[in-house]
Amino acid sequence: MASMVATDSSPSSAAARLLPVRLRTDAFSLRRLLHMGSTYSTTFPRYFALRPSPFPTSPVVPTAAMATEASAEVIDGKAVAKQIRDEITDEVSRMKEAIGVIPGLAVILVGDRKDSATYVRNKKKACESVGINSFEVHLPEDTTEQEVLTHISVFNDNPSVHGILVQLPLPSHMNEQNVLNAIKIEKDVDGFHPLNIGRLAMRGREPLFVPCTPKGCIELLHRYGVSLKGKRAVVIGRSNIVGMPAALLLQREDATVSVVHSRTNNPEEITRQADLIISAVGQPNMVRGSWIKPGAVIIDVGINPVDDINSPRGYRLVGDVCYEEACKVASAITPVPGGVGPMTIAMLLQNTLISAERIYNFH
Ligand code: NDP
């Protein structure tokens, strides 16, 4: 069933097929292989408190042979993101009714990259859908760094703005580090400020915000009841925005973490030891079935366009992991599209809400 989804390049029809998979109660629940988890990180906010997983459980003890007999369970990021957005909608109205404050997110876009414009549009729409106010500044490609810093400063001082994000990448004449450092740490909802990352890396310290994509990966695992304690995890990719913070988060979950990057010797061998793989590379179908330990859980962050003459757009999106092969070996996997992508935006909305609640001390 799951491998059928991979042959369908339409996001909406793929999502329609995923739902029954999520809801099925056969013996191939991913909990066969990763011990059922019920403990949520204490660093997560109140509305992430301990809750029963909405997804089916199974006490069946796993064996490698079992995992090769059926296809993996689909980890449905679209459905989980919808659930989270509904929770945010409720919380935003509760806040508005109680203290008259509406959370606000400001987005700064510089230049004319079509993909960036699409991401910004989607973020704006997502804000509207949960009742968060959005503020947008779109600047031309030749804007100076100083002008961007001035806009950041205005948003830093605007009490209606609780989260600020600068859409990356910036034009090459700008120093990304200078720009990101200018965002007030209390409004750094992307979580890229060095202080936030530093706190994420240190034991006993708490970041104000966790970067959205890796946070979404961990949240998916939580909501599917996957316990990571003592498990071997491999993160493929070490970028500042995904791979590195994902590895830090997994360590906080008491997983034993290896990081694979472009200079790693024998990446296949290292990856094959993992109970959990998070891949954030940007190479289509790089992780083959032979890289995967039977029964492993796979979170595929990669979004890669590949030519497809059967698609009206001439291309389709695939992940870093060869989905058809992985489905035969893994116990659970996120699809692309419909896995991590929707979670990233849901986490951005959540960080904005957390920020507004913290600023107003609203519980
Ligand atoms: P980057 O290009 O910043 O980082 C890629 C990482 O992959 C680097 O650490 C690089 O290693 C490593 N890498 C590259 N080639 C190989 C290889 N052959 N073997 C092992 N490691 C390799 O990418 P991002 O982290 O920004 O994004 C990664 C992917 O995730 C992309 O497809 C992107 O589109 C997607 N993405 C998806 C999001 C979502 O919401 N779903 C959000 C953000 C990104 P090295 O450090 O040695 O160069």
Side-chain angles (χ1 to χ4, degrees):
M1 169 90 184
S3 57
M4 281 166 56
V5 174
T7 62
D8 184 342
S9 60
S10 151
S12 53
S13 58
R17 287 181 184 185
L18 296 185
L19 280 169
V21 179
R22 178 175 64 83
L23 295 172
R24 73 187 181 179
T25 52
D26 66 76
F28 264 79
S29 167
L30 68 131
R31 289 172 192 81
R32 287 172 309 134
L33 297 182
L34 288 179
H35 173 67
M36 263 295 297
S38 59
T39 315
Y40 276 46
S41 161
T42 52
T43 64
F44 284 95
R46 173 176 39 75
Y47 41 92
F48 275 162
L50 191 74
R51 68 166 78 80
S53 167
F55 303 104
T57 62
S58 166
V60 177
V61 177
T63 66
M66 283 169 67
T68 59
E69 286 163 11
S71 48
E73 183 168 359
V74 176
I75 299 178
D76 187 348
K78 205 169 170 180
V80 174
K82 159 95 176 54
Q83 192 179 53
I84 292 170
R85 280 159 74 146
D86 289 347
E87 290 165 15
I88 294 171
T89 305
D90 292 347
E91 189 67 4
V92 166
S93 12
R94 191 174 76 86
M95 190 177 183
K96 187 178 168 190
E97 277 163 29
I99 60 170
V101 171
I102 301 173
L105 174 69
V107 181
I108 299 176
L109 171 64
V110 189
D112 298 316
R113 280 180 65 120
K114 281 199 175 116
D115 55 345
S116 292
T118 305
Y119 294 141
V120 168
R121 204 168 40 246
N122 289 343
K123 286 167 187 171
K124 195 174 173 181
K125 268 198 231 159
C127 282
E128 280 164 15
S129 75
V130 298
I132 289 178
N133 285 335
S134 65
F135 303 79
E136 189 190 330
V137 170
H138 189 173
L139 302 165
E141 181 82 19
D142 60 358
T143 304
T144 64
E145 189 177 306
Q146 187 50 52
E147 283 173 275
V148 176
L149 294 177
T150 304
H151 282 284
I152 291 175
S153 171
V154 170
F155 284 138
N156 277 342
D157 295 337
N158 183 341
S160 302
V161 171
H162 310 102
I164 302 170
L165 82 80
V166 176
Q167 185 65 43
L168 300 177
L170 285 165
S172 54
H173 64 276
M174 286 187 198
N175 182 325
E176 186 181 294
Q177 201 174 316
N178 285 348
V179 171
L180 294 182
N181 287 0
I183 297 172
K184 204 174 182 177
I185 188 170
E186 291 82 3
K187 298 188 179 185
D188 172 39
V189 284
D190 255 343
F192 296 156
H193 194 290
L195 261 179
N196 264 324
I197 295 289
R199 288 181 184 171
L200 187 66
M202 292 172 80
R203 291 193 69 131
R205 307 289 166 87
E206 297 303 332
L208 289 178
F209 301 100
V210 175
C212 300
T213 302
K215 181 178 179 182
C217 296
I218 301 295
E219 183 62 17
L220 268 181
L221 294 166
H222 282 161
R223 296 219 178 200
Y224 269 81
V226 178
S227 167
L228 298 165
K229 193 173 184 145
K231 296 295 183 298
R232 295 200 69 155
V234 165
V235 179
I236 315 180
R238 56 176 171 180
S239 71
N240 287 343
I241 63 168
V242 192
M244 181 267 287
L248 294 175
L249 280 172
L250 288 171
Q251 283 201 101
R252 282 180 165 249
E253 299 279 330
D254 292 330
T256 302
V257 185
S258 303
V259 176
V260 167
H261 49 77
S262 67
R263 308 298 164 92
T264 301
N265 291 328
N266 299 324
E268 176 173 348
E269 194 184 308
I270 294 168
T271 307
R272 200 166 37 236
Q273 294 172 19
D275 301 303
L276 168 74
I277 300 167
I278 295 184
S279 185
V281 174
Q283 301 277 348
N285 300 323
M286 185 184 89
V287 178
R288 308 301 301 258
S290 62
W291 291 42
I292 300 164
K293 177 176 166 181
V297 171
I298 300 175
I299 304 289
D300 190 354
V301 180
I303 302 177
N304 309 295
V306 293
D307 291 342
D308 182 355
I309 48 165
N310 296 321
S311 160
R313 293 175 296 183
Y315 70 91
R316 69 193 158 93
L317 298 176
V318 301
D320 293 341
V321 179
C322 180
Y323 192 81
E324 292 88 341
E325 291 179 10
C327 277
K328 295 180 188 143
V329 191
S331 64
I333 184 168
T334 54
V336 177
V340 176
M343 291 297 290
T344 297
I345 291 197
M347 294 298 104
L348 175 66
L349 301 173
Q350 191 176 70
N351 279 354
T352 305
L353 173 61
I354 289 169
S355 177
E357 291 192 336
R358 185 162 38 220
I359 287 168
Y360 288 91
N361 200 18
F362 179 72
H363 301 288

